[in-house]
Amino acid sequence: MSALFALTALALIFGAILGYAAIRFRVEGNPLADEIEAILPQTQCAQCGHPGCKPYAKAIANGEAFNKCAPGGEETIIEIANLLGVEPIALAESAHKEEDGKMVAFIVEDACIGCTKCIQACPVDAILGSNKKMHTVIAKECTGCELCVAPCPTDCIEMRPVATTPSNWDWKLQQIDVRIVEEDQP
């Protein structure tokens, strides 16, 4: 009976210590950064210059430019601009290569040894394969971040442009802000 009492007393003491520590050493997050992170595509591709979407969201909340997310594209930029209450700006030149267009990884089958290093490097799980078997890339999932190219020991991964089809055609039209103005009627 005394052992049960001793364990209960220890549990209460440690619980009180943990409760105090939780209140005393609480780390408050930035709610704006959390909202921005919810808008970002969560590809963790590092194309923006940050190791993931959360650090990039924190940087945006601290005033860094919000136009570096290539996988999110213009839609993400517009959503973040609306959240921040500022005008949207074009995707940064460093975030995409306009002259090349969208690129996707392609694995040359004859050179692939199945080492799985590209699978481990892919932030969006766009590469399928298993150990000592040939790998392949799911083109519609690939963001073109090129993170899989460097770890490949046989240089069997190439970045190739996405073929233009009716489903991915981009007219590059300038967005026009159309607003309906209600006139006073008698």
Side-chain angles (χ1 to χ4, degrees):
M1 188 66 145
S2 63
L4 181 61
F5 178 71
L7 287 176
T8 304
L10 282 174
L12 288 174
I13 292 170
F14 286 127
I17 291 171
L18 288 174
Y20 172 76
I23 293 170
R24 173 76 171 95
F25 302 110
R26 175 182 37 187
V27 177
E28 301 222 8
N30 185 341
L32 180 59
D34 294 339
E35 289 182 51
I36 294 169
E37 183 186 8
I39 294 171
L40 294 172
Q42 304 304 315
T43 58
Q44 316 306 339
C45 63
Q47 293 182 61
C48 61
H50 296 275
C53 292
K54 188 171 191 85
Y56 182 47
K58 286 179 182 177
I60 293 171
N62 290 332
E64 187 175 311
F66 57 90
N67 64 337
K68 298 178 183 177
C69 182
E74 298 295 327
E75 296 102 25
T76 300
I77 291 172
I78 291 169
E79 282 187 59
I80 293 173
N82 290 338
L83 177 67
L84 298 175
V86 297
E87 286 292 316
I89 50 181
L91 187 64
E93 289 298 319
S94 61
H96 62 84
K97 300 172 188 158
E98 193 65 39
E99 66 277 2
D100 295 339
K102 181 171 172 20
M103 306 288 277
V104 295
F106 177 80
I107 298 176
V108 179
E109 294 179 18
D110 295 337
C112 181
I113 60 172
C115 68
T116 71
K117 290 182 180 181
C118 58
I119 293 175
Q120 296 166 25
C122 183
V124 293
D125 295 331
I127 302 175
L128 294 175
S130 62
N131 196 20
K132 298 186 180 169
K133 304 287 183 194
M134 201 281 298
H135 298 86
T136 190
V137 176
I138 304 170
K140 70 178 187 172
E141 298 294 326
C142 180
T143 62
C145 67
E146 300 181 17
L147 293 175
C148 59
V149 177
C152 180
T154 61
D155 294 327
C156 69
I157 301 176
E158 301 173 354
M159 297 306 293
R160 294 186 178 177
V162 175
T164 303
T165 64
S167 63
N168 68 7
W169 177 262
D170 186 9
W171 285 90
K172 306 245 187 275
L173 295 176
Q174 188 172 9
Q175 278 190 330
I176 301 171
D177 188 15
V178 179
R179 299 177 190 200
I180 299 174
V181 179
E182 294 182 18
E183 295 181 20
D184 293 334
Q185 295 184 5

PDB file of all heavy atoms in Angstrom, residues 74-75 78 88-91 98 168-178:
ATOM      1  N   GLU A  74       1.746  30.674 -59.562  1.00  0.00           N
ATOM      2  CA  GLU A  74       1.024  31.936 -59.443  1.00  0.00           C
ATOM      3  C   GLU A  74      -0.149  31.849 -58.464  1.00  0.00           C
ATOM      4  O   GLU A  74      -0.429  32.810 -57.761  1.00  0.00           O
ATOM      5  CB  GLU A  74       0.518  32.396 -60.821  1.00  0.00           C
ATOM      6  CG  GLU A  74       1.613  32.660 -61.836  1.00  0.00           C
ATOM      7  CD  GLU A  74       2.522  33.819 -61.448  1.00  0.00           C
ATOM      8  OE1 GLU A  74       2.050  34.791 -60.818  1.00  0.00           O
ATOM      9  OE2 GLU A  74       3.729  33.752 -61.763  1.00  0.00           O
ATOM     10  N   GLU A  75      -0.836  30.679 -58.410  1.00  0.00           N
ATOM     11  CA  GLU A  75      -1.979  30.561 -57.492  1.00  0.00           C
ATOM     12  C   GLU A  75      -1.546  30.764 -56.046  1.00  0.00           C
ATOM     13  O   GLU A  75      -2.215  31.443 -55.268  1.00  0.00           O
ATOM     14  CB  GLU A  75      -2.660  29.189 -57.629  1.00  0.00           C
ATOM     15  CG  GLU A  75      -3.279  28.924 -58.978  1.00  0.00           C
ATOM     16  CD  GLU A  75      -2.418  28.007 -59.832  1.00  0.00           C
ATOM     17  OE1 GLU A  75      -1.640  27.225 -59.271  1.00  0.00           O
ATOM     18  OE2 GLU A  75      -2.530  28.090 -61.059  1.00  0.00           O
ATOM     19  N   ILE A  78      -0.744  34.427 -55.354  1.00  0.00           N
ATOM     20  CA  ILE A  78      -1.962  35.236 -55.220  1.00  0.00           C
ATOM     21  C   ILE A  78      -2.612  34.998 -53.853  1.00  0.00           C
ATOM     22  O   ILE A  78      -3.031  35.941 -53.191  1.00  0.00           O
ATOM     23  CB  ILE A  78      -2.935  34.921 -56.376  1.00  0.00           C
ATOM     24  CG1 ILE A  78      -2.346  35.445 -57.693  1.00  0.00           C
ATOM     25  CG2 ILE A  78      -4.312  35.519 -56.115  1.00  0.00           C
ATOM     26  CD1 ILE A  78      -3.073  34.979 -58.935  1.00  0.00           C
ATOM     27  N   PRO A  88      -0.168  40.973 -55.592  1.00  0.00           N
ATOM     28  CA  PRO A  88       0.634  39.815 -56.020  1.00  0.00           C
ATOM     29  C   PRO A  88       1.759  40.258 -56.944  1.00  0.00           C
ATOM     30  O   PRO A  88       1.619  41.237 -57.675  1.00  0.00           O
ATOM     31  CB  PRO A  88      -0.358  38.935 -56.777  1.00  0.00           C
ATOM     32  CG  PRO A  88      -1.690  39.562 -56.655  1.00  0.00           C
ATOM     33  CD  PRO A  88      -1.530  40.919 -56.055  1.00  0.00           C
ATOM     34  N   ILE A  89       2.871  39.558 -56.872  1.00  0.00           N
ATOM     35  CA  ILE A  89       3.994  39.848 -57.753  1.00  0.00           C
ATOM     36  C   ILE A  89       4.329  38.583 -58.538  1.00  0.00           C
ATOM     37  O   ILE A  89       3.974  37.478 -58.128  1.00  0.00           O
ATOM     38  CB  ILE A  89       5.221  40.351 -56.961  1.00  0.00           C
ATOM     39  CG1 ILE A  89       5.535  39.428 -55.786  1.00  0.00           C
ATOM     40  CG2 ILE A  89       5.007  41.761 -56.468  1.00  0.00           C
ATOM     41  CD1 ILE A  89       6.710  39.860 -54.948  1.00  0.00           C
ATOM     42  N   ALA A  90       4.995  38.760 -59.653  1.00  0.00           N
ATOM     43  CA  ALA A  90       5.312  37.623 -60.519  1.00  0.00           C
ATOM     44  C   ALA A  90       6.285  36.671 -59.841  1.00  0.00           C
ATOM     45  O   ALA A  90       7.063  37.073 -58.974  1.00  0.00           O
ATOM     46  CB  ALA A  90       5.898  38.122 -61.838  1.00  0.00           C
ATOM     47  N   LEU A  91       6.244  35.420 -60.252  1.00  0.00           N
ATOM     48  CA  LEU A  91       7.149  34.396 -59.743  1.00  0.00           C
ATOM     49  C   LEU A  91       8.586  34.842 -60.006  1.00  0.00           C
ATOM     50  O   LEU A  91       8.912  35.298 -61.105  1.00  0.00           O
ATOM     51  CB  LEU A  91       6.872  33.063 -60.429  1.00  0.00           C
ATOM     52  CG  LEU A  91       7.608  31.840 -59.916  1.00  0.00           C
ATOM     53  CD1 LEU A  91       7.214  31.531 -58.481  1.00  0.00           C
ATOM     54  CD2 LEU A  91       7.289  30.637 -60.786  1.00  0.00           C
ATOM     55  N   GLU A  98      12.373  30.246 -67.361  1.00  0.00           N
ATOM     56  CA  GLU A  98      11.346  30.529 -68.364  1.00  0.00           C
ATOM     57  C   GLU A  98      11.751  30.036 -69.745  1.00  0.00           C
ATOM     58  O   GLU A  98      10.934  29.546 -70.505  1.00  0.00           O
ATOM     59  CB  GLU A  98      11.072  32.036 -68.387  1.00  0.00           C
ATOM     60  CG  GLU A  98       9.833  32.418 -69.146  1.00  0.00           C
ATOM     61  CD  GLU A  98       8.571  31.884 -68.507  1.00  0.00           C
ATOM     62  OE1 GLU A  98       8.447  31.877 -67.288  1.00  0.00           O
ATOM     63  OE2 GLU A  98       7.679  31.462 -69.269  1.00  0.00           O
ATOM     64  N   ASN A 168      -1.787  21.158 -70.525  1.00  0.00           N
ATOM     65  CA  ASN A 168      -0.833  21.979 -69.781  1.00  0.00           C
ATOM     66  C   ASN A 168      -0.411  23.239 -70.552  1.00  0.00           C
ATOM     67  O   ASN A 168       0.531  23.905 -70.171  1.00  0.00           O
ATOM     68  CB  ASN A 168       0.405  21.161 -69.381  1.00  0.00           C
ATOM     69  CG  ASN A 168       1.262  20.740 -70.555  1.00  0.00           C
ATOM     70  OD1 ASN A 168       1.048  21.138 -71.690  1.00  0.00           O
ATOM     71  ND2 ASN A 168       2.238  19.902 -70.282  1.00  0.00           N
ATOM     72  N   TRP A 169      -1.104  23.562 -71.601  1.00  0.00           N
ATOM     73  CA  TRP A 169      -0.800  24.752 -72.399  1.00  0.00           C
ATOM     74  C   TRP A 169      -0.995  25.995 -71.555  1.00  0.00           C
ATOM     75  O   TRP A 169      -1.940  26.117 -70.796  1.00  0.00           O
ATOM     76  CB  TRP A 169      -1.712  24.803 -73.624  1.00  0.00           C
ATOM     77  CG  TRP A 169      -1.511  26.034 -74.440  1.00  0.00           C
ATOM     78  CD1 TRP A 169      -2.253  27.160 -74.414  1.00  0.00           C
ATOM     79  CD2 TRP A 169      -0.485  26.258 -75.397  1.00  0.00           C
ATOM     80  NE1 TRP A 169      -1.767  28.080 -75.281  1.00  0.00           N
ATOM     81  CE2 TRP A 169      -0.674  27.553 -75.913  1.00  0.00           C
ATOM     82  CE3 TRP A 169       0.566  25.507 -75.867  1.00  0.00           C
ATOM     83  CZ2 TRP A 169       0.154  28.100 -76.874  1.00  0.00           C
ATOM     84  CZ3 TRP A 169       1.383  26.063 -76.833  1.00  0.00           C
ATOM     85  CH2 TRP A 169       1.168  27.332 -77.321  1.00  0.00           C
ATOM     86  N   ASP A 170      -0.080  26.955 -71.673  1.00  0.00           N
ATOM     87  CA  ASP A 170      -0.158  28.198 -70.915  1.00  0.00           C
ATOM     88  C   ASP A 170      -0.090  29.362 -71.895  1.00  0.00           C
ATOM     89  O   ASP A 170       0.908  29.537 -72.589  1.00  0.00           O
ATOM     90  CB  ASP A 170       0.997  28.274 -69.919  1.00  0.00           C
ATOM     91  CG  ASP A 170       0.893  29.474 -69.012  1.00  0.00           C
ATOM     92  OD1 ASP A 170      -0.156  30.157 -69.027  1.00  0.00           O
ATOM     93  OD2 ASP A 170       1.860  29.736 -68.281  1.00  0.00           O
ATOM     94  N   TRP A 171      -1.144  30.153 -71.934  1.00  0.00           N
ATOM     95  CA  TRP A 171      -1.199  31.271 -72.867  1.00  0.00           C
ATOM     96  C   TRP A 171      -0.357  32.450 -72.403  1.00  0.00           C
ATOM     97  O   TRP A 171      -0.122  33.374 -73.153  1.00  0.00           O
ATOM     98  CB  TRP A 171      -2.652  31.736 -73.019  1.00  0.00           C
ATOM     99  CG  TRP A 171      -3.458  30.816 -73.853  1.00  0.00           C
ATOM    100  CD1 TRP A 171      -4.171  29.745 -73.410  1.00  0.00           C
ATOM    101  CD2 TRP A 171      -3.620  30.850 -75.255  1.00  0.00           C
ATOM    102  NE1 TRP A 171      -4.773  29.110 -74.453  1.00  0.00           N
ATOM    103  CE2 TRP A 171      -4.446  29.774 -75.617  1.00  0.00           C
ATOM    104  CE3 TRP A 171      -3.150  31.671 -76.256  1.00  0.00           C
ATOM    105  CZ2 TRP A 171      -4.814  29.520 -76.916  1.00  0.00           C
ATOM    106  CZ3 TRP A 171      -3.530  31.422 -77.560  1.00  0.00           C
ATOM    107  CH2 TRP A 171      -4.342  30.354 -77.884  1.00  0.00           C
ATOM    108  N   LYS A 172       0.078  32.454 -71.157  1.00  0.00           N
ATOM    109  CA  LYS A 172       0.858  33.552 -70.592  1.00  0.00           C
ATOM    110  C   LYS A 172       0.121  34.883 -70.744  1.00  0.00           C
ATOM    111  O   LYS A 172       0.703  35.911 -71.098  1.00  0.00           O
ATOM    112  CB  LYS A 172       2.238  33.645 -71.243  1.00  0.00           C
ATOM    113  CG  LYS A 172       3.014  32.363 -71.205  1.00  0.00           C
ATOM    114  CD  LYS A 172       4.224  32.519 -70.358  1.00  0.00           C
ATOM    115  CE  LYS A 172       5.111  31.312 -70.438  1.00  0.00           C
ATOM    116  NZ  LYS A 172       4.783  30.248 -69.556  1.00  0.00           N
ATOM    117  N   LEU A 173      -1.188  34.819 -70.499  1.00  0.00           N
ATOM    118  CA  LEU A 173      -1.981  36.035 -70.551  1.00  0.00           C
ATOM    119  C   LEU A 173      -1.811  36.809 -69.258  1.00  0.00           C
ATOM    120  O   LEU A 173      -1.709  36.221 -68.183  1.00  0.00           O
ATOM    121  CB  LEU A 173      -3.458  35.698 -70.745  1.00  0.00           C
ATOM    122  CG  LEU A 173      -3.820  35.033 -72.074  1.00  0.00           C
ATOM    123  CD1 LEU A 173      -5.302  34.683 -72.077  1.00  0.00           C
ATOM    124  CD2 LEU A 173      -3.500  35.944 -73.241  1.00  0.00           C
ATOM    125  N   GLN A 174      -1.815  38.100 -69.367  1.00  0.00           N
ATOM    126  CA  GLN A 174      -1.713  38.928 -68.178  1.00  0.00           C
ATOM    127  C   GLN A 174      -3.074  38.915 -67.486  1.00  0.00           C
ATOM    128  O   GLN A 174      -4.107  39.078 -68.119  1.00  0.00           O
ATOM    129  CB  GLN A 174      -1.333  40.338 -68.572  1.00  0.00           C
ATOM    130  CG  GLN A 174      -1.014  41.219 -67.409  1.00  0.00           C
ATOM    131  CD  GLN A 174      -0.444  42.546 -67.874  1.00  0.00           C
ATOM    132  OE1 GLN A 174      -0.446  42.841 -69.054  1.00  0.00           O
ATOM    133  NE2 GLN A 174       0.019  43.331 -66.941  1.00  0.00           N
ATOM    134  N   GLN A 175      -3.063  38.709 -66.164  1.00  0.00           N
ATOM    135  CA  GLN A 175      -4.323  38.682 -65.433  1.00  0.00           C
ATOM    136  C   GLN A 175      -4.893  40.077 -65.358  1.00  0.00           C
ATOM    137  O   GLN A 175      -4.184  41.044 -65.085  1.00  0.00           O
ATOM    138  CB  GLN A 175      -4.119  38.150 -64.015  1.00  0.00           C
ATOM    139  CG  GLN A 175      -4.073  36.671 -63.956  1.00  0.00           C
ATOM    140  CD  GLN A 175      -4.124  36.219 -62.500  1.00  0.00           C
ATOM    141  OE1 GLN A 175      -3.675  36.900 -61.612  1.00  0.00           O
ATOM    142  NE2 GLN A 175      -4.682  35.056 -62.293  1.00  0.00           N
ATOM    143  N   ILE A 176      -6.175  40.156 -65.598  1.00  0.00           N
ATOM    144  CA  ILE A 176      -6.861  41.436 -65.539  1.00  0.00           C
ATOM    145  C   ILE A 176      -7.817  41.385 -64.361  1.00  0.00           C
ATOM    146  O   ILE A 176      -8.594  40.445 -64.211  1.00  0.00           O
ATOM    147  CB  ILE A 176      -7.640  41.693 -66.846  1.00  0.00           C
ATOM    148  CG1 ILE A 176      -6.677  41.689 -68.034  1.00  0.00           C
ATOM    149  CG2 ILE A 176      -8.417  42.991 -66.750  1.00  0.00           C
ATOM    150  CD1 ILE A 176      -7.374  41.725 -69.366  1.00  0.00           C
ATOM    151  N   ASP A 177      -7.744  42.406 -63.524  1.00  0.00           N
ATOM    152  CA  ASP A 177      -8.612  42.475 -62.357  1.00  0.00           C
ATOM    153  C   ASP A 177      -9.942  43.070 -62.798  1.00  0.00           C
ATOM    154  O   ASP A 177     -10.035  44.256 -63.114  1.00  0.00           O
ATOM    155  CB  ASP A 177      -7.951  43.330 -61.281  1.00  0.00           C
ATOM    156  CG  ASP A 177      -8.705  43.281 -59.970  1.00  0.00           C
ATOM    157  OD1 ASP A 177      -9.567  42.383 -59.808  1.00  0.00           O
ATOM    158  OD2 ASP A 177      -8.425  44.125 -59.104  1.00  0.00           O
ATOM    159  N   VAL A 178     -10.965  42.231 -62.851  1.00  0.00           N
ATOM    160  CA  VAL A 178     -12.279  42.674 -63.292  1.00  0.00           C
ATOM    161  C   VAL A 178     -13.165  42.820 -62.061  1.00  0.00           C
ATOM    162  O   VAL A 178     -13.324  41.887 -61.289  1.00  0.00           O
ATOM    163  CB  VAL A 178     -12.906  41.653 -64.280  1.00  0.00           C
ATOM    164  CG1 VAL A 178     -14.282  42.110 -64.700  1.00  0.00           C
ATOM    165  CG2 VAL A 178     -12.008  41.459 -65.462  1.00  0.00           C
TER     166      VAL A 178
END
